[in-house]
Amino acid sequence: MNEQRTTNNEQLSANDEQRNAIATDIEAYLKEHENKDMLRFLTCGSVDDGKSTLIGRMLYDSKMIFEDQLAAAESESRKYGTTGEKIDMALLVDGLQSEREQGITIDVAYRFFATEKRKYIIADTPGHEQYTRNMVTGASTADVAIILIDARKGILTQTRRHSFIVNLLGIEHVIVAINKMDLVDFSQEVFEKIRGEYDKLASELGIPHVYYIPMSALEGDNVVERSERTPWYEGPALLELLDTMDISREETPENFRLPVQYVNRPHLNFRGFCGTIASGSVKVGDEITVLPSGKTTKVKGIINAGDVTEANREPYTEEAYAPMAVTLTTEDEVDISRGDMLVHTHNVPRVSNQLKVMIVWMDESPMEVGREYDFKRATTVISGHINRINYRVDVNTYERLEVDHLELNDIASCRLTLTGPIAADAYKQNRATGGFIIIDRITNNTVGAGMIVDVASREGERFEPTPREYTEAEKALNEYIRIHFPEWGCKPC
């Protein structure tokens, strides 16, 4: 108990120092943090592998827990009694009452903290198969995935499922945290066995960068500092690895993509096209193409509100790059609307309404082939339907299975037909413009997430759309319109 009190005092002292720094010179404090790298990572894996405990331990040991949070966690720990006299670190993350009662994570929990080198956004995702869709949500914006494995149980089905999803969503850096090593006496043999098994799995999936760390999230071994109980492990602790990891992706100015979000027309003499640059960069004078129309023009001006200061009231700039939010003006009067995409003329992606995609189904109701859905990609919302399911992936064996519909949490390769063409960037080349969500047109619920793999109508590839099947209600409405409103020119379905 004395050790616990000493640690708590150190925690409170660190928080006091931080509050004093903010109170005495807030501008200096903000300046110190604004130029740090931002890294997003998520924790995933099977049920009870220690994901929430790991995040709680990281926040606690890095002195990022405030007084009231610490007091609440101590009170809740005594109430639920899951860790004896110690603080249950998972309670620092699991905020829902049902999560605390059951000792599981249900929804994605986001936490923020910073070290001297980086700022972090953590997504703690659930391990239960029932909440796989929540895990997909957390993984969609992550740069690094920490996959926890219980040292006693080894690789489980959900470990394989989450590894597949992590790879599918384009996360190139995976840290395999072999947790609960204290329960196997920090055995190097156990660690090496699990490492060998996951090496085969990573090779099968094609994950490019994999790191392995033996740890005990509950005790803090190899989380923030290296543990003396693993003398055979020569690598860094988890936080040290995160601080030094190179997550930069190859980015070239030619990959300029600006999904148009809004057309700014304050008066007759100005028309600007607003949006957040998804990738690449653009300069004044660059020749750009508007997709899907294919019209070309040149950039006349770039307005970045962030450049406006007391010393410089001129908002125009010569160059902008991702992820800046800007307004572009053009030299010619070209028709540009919300949902269009601006790209460099010398680097135009293919435009098509026939796409090959990977879909993660996220709704209790099954996905029906031929049913009309809305598809939202960046600022584009367009209707369409799944033309065909090529195969469903069995996440246990990675076998490809033939199916005629998709159930909750199913992952499948599909052919997608849209009512109009869009600029089709492959998800692996551009996560911002290659991903989309599927929306039910009746309930307006998000029912699925997808990644563009390729344009389906490639040269030499035959594409035969499946005839649309209409409901009886749609047929009756169609007949009524044709009888009573013939001037509309409605064709029979």
Side-chain angles (χ1 to χ4, degrees):
M1 288 296 291
N2 289 335
E3 290 180 6
Q4 184 71 51
R5 255 187 231 104
T6 302
T7 308
N8 289 351
N9 289 337
E10 290 176 356
Q11 175 79 57
L12 298 177
S13 176
N15 289 337
D16 287 339
E17 288 178 11
Q18 186 179 35
R19 280 194 293 269
N20 289 337
I22 295 173
T24 54
D25 195 344
I26 182 65
E27 290 186 4
Y29 178 82
L30 293 174
K31 192 71 177 175
E32 179 187 348
H33 286 80
E34 70 178 357
N35 294 322
K36 290 181 181 177
D37 271 349
M38 171 71 77
L39 187 145
R40 296 171 179 263
F41 69 89
L42 81 154
T43 57
C44 52
S46 193
V47 180
D48 290 332
D49 280 349
K51 298 178 290 296
S52 299
T53 302
L54 173 61
I55 294 178
R57 172 59 69 180
M58 289 181 70
L59 295 173
Y60 185 81
D61 285 358
S62 58
K63 309 296 188 289
M64 294 303 294
I65 302 297
F66 291 103
E67 243 177 278
D68 56 339
Q69 293 174 309
L70 198 60
E74 288 176 337
S75 173
E76 295 288 317
S77 297
R78 287 192 295 271
K79 176 181 178 182
Y80 295 110
T82 54
T83 55
E85 294 185 356
K86 298 178 182 178
I87 297 177
D88 185 350
M89 296 297 171
L91 296 177
L92 295 171
V93 183
D94 291 336
L96 300 178
Q97 184 66 26
S98 54
E99 291 180 323
R100 292 169 178 250
E101 291 172 351
Q102 299 179 58
I104 63 172
T105 300
I106 295 174
D107 200 1
V108 182
Y110 292 96
R111 292 294 181 269
F112 310 86
F113 79 104
T115 65
E116 292 182 0
K117 297 181 180 179
R118 268 187 171 142
K119 293 180 288 188
Y120 294 95
I121 298 178
I122 314 168
D124 180 28
T125 62
H128 284 68
E129 181 179 348
Q130 180 182 349
Y131 305 116
T132 298
R133 54 187 170 182
N134 298 23
M135 180 266 171
V136 173
T137 303
S140 61
T141 57
D143 304 303
V144 177
I146 301 175
I147 297 181
L148 281 90
I149 298 176
D150 189 326
R152 302 167 301 168
K153 300 175 183 177
I155 296 174
L156 302 174
T157 299
Q158 197 70 337
T159 313
R160 297 176 65 85
R161 179 188 296 272
H162 284 186
S163 297
F164 182 86
I165 293 173
V166 160
N167 185 58
L168 182 67
L169 292 174
I171 299 176
E172 297 182 350
H173 298 269
V174 173
I175 300 173
V176 180
I178 301 174
N179 192 28
K180 304 188 181 182
M181 290 294 293
D182 54 313
L183 301 181
V184 294
D185 297 324
F186 293 93
S187 168
Q188 183 178 4
E189 183 181 349
V190 171
F191 173 77
E192 294 296 344
K193 181 184 177 183
I194 296 175
R195 177 174 183 163
E197 291 174 356
Y198 197 89
D199 269 338
K200 294 178 183 177
L201 175 61
S203 177
E204 189 177 350
L205 292 174
I207 301 174
H209 307 289
V210 185
Y211 315 83
Y212 297 90
I213 301 177
M215 68 170 58
S216 169
L218 184 63
E219 302 291 340
D221 295 276
N222 291 327
V223 177
V224 173
E225 296 180 354
R226 288 279 307 277
S227 172
E228 295 179 356
R229 297 198 279 185
T230 54
W232 42 267
Y233 172 67
E234 298 179 354
L238 176 61
L239 193 58
E240 182 185 348
L241 177 59
L242 291 171
D243 270 346
T244 56
M245 183 179 291
D246 181 11
I247 58 166
S248 59
R249 298 184 180 218
E250 186 177 349
E251 187 70 64
T252 59
E254 288 74 22
N255 292 331
F256 170 63
R257 301 288 188 269
L258 175 63
V260 177
Q261 184 175 6
Y262 175 69
V263 179
N264 189 1
R265 180 73 166 165
H267 51 75
L268 293 175
N269 299 321
F270 182 88
R271 180 185 286 111
F273 308 101
C274 312
T276 300
I277 300 176
S279 64
S281 62
V282 65
K283 298 179 180 178
V284 173
D286 283 357
E287 187 172 344
I288 58 173
T289 297
V290 184
L291 298 178
S293 69
K295 300 294 183 182
T296 61
T297 184
K298 287 188 177 180
V299 177
K300 181 179 180 181
I302 303 172
I303 301 174
N304 173 26
D307 289 343
V308 180
T309 63
E310 288 301 324
N312 174 26
R313 300 299 300 175
E314 180 58 60
Y316 285 89
T317 185
E318 289 296 313
E319 182 179 9
Y321 47 86
M324 291 171 60
V326 297
T327 299
L328 300 187
T329 58
T330 59
E331 292 187 358
D332 309 299
E333 291 292 336
V334 179
D335 181 16
I336 303 175
S337 306
R338 174 181 168 84
D340 289 343
M341 189 181 296
L342 306 183
V343 303
H344 278 137
T345 302
H346 58 270
N347 186 8
V348 178
R350 286 184 293 178
V351 176
S352 178
N353 71 326
Q354 311 279 357
L355 304 175
K356 181 180 179 182
V357 299
M358 291 295 296
I359 287 177
V360 181
W361 195 248
M362 305 165 72
D363 195 56
E364 300 284 350
S365 302
M367 188 206 76
E368 303 171 21
V369 172
R371 180 180 173 182
E372 204 83 4
Y373 295 98
D374 282 338
F375 297 84
K376 185 178 188 304
R377 191 282 313 268
T379 59
T380 305
V381 179
I382 189 169
S383 61
H385 64 277
I386 303 301
N387 193 278
R388 183 170 76 234
I389 301 174
N390 298 324
Y391 58 84
R392 179 177 70 81
V393 178
D394 185 333
V395 295
N396 300 323
T397 62
Y398 302 142
E399 183 184 356
R400 299 181 176 185
L401 308 174
E402 289 189 11
V403 294
D404 58 5
H405 68 280
L406 297 182
E407 299 286 352
L408 175 66
N409 296 326
D410 279 351
I411 301 170
S413 168
C414 303
R415 295 292 186 90
L416 171 62
T417 299
L418 302 173
T419 54
I422 65 169
D425 277 317
Y427 185 83
K428 288 199 172 181
Q429 271 76 53
N430 196 317
R431 292 174 72 180
T433 59
F436 59 88
I437 60 172
I438 307 171
I439 303 169
D440 188 293
R441 304 188 74 188
I442 297 175
T443 64
N444 208 35
N445 290 335
T446 298
V447 294
M451 288 69 66
I452 297 173
V453 177
D454 201 357
V455 170
S457 54
R458 294 183 298 181
E459 187 177 347
E461 181 179 1
R462 190 177 178 187
F463 186 84
E464 298 177 353
T466 304
R468 164 82 188 280
E469 293 184 7
Y470 294 91
T471 65
E472 292 302 318
E474 288 174 319
K475 291 176 182 177
L477 178 61
N478 178 273
E479 183 179 1
Y480 179 86
I481 292 172
R482 284 188 288 111
I483 293 172
H484 297 281
F485 301 94
E487 68 274 15
W488 288 8
C490 183
K491 296 180 182 180
C493 52

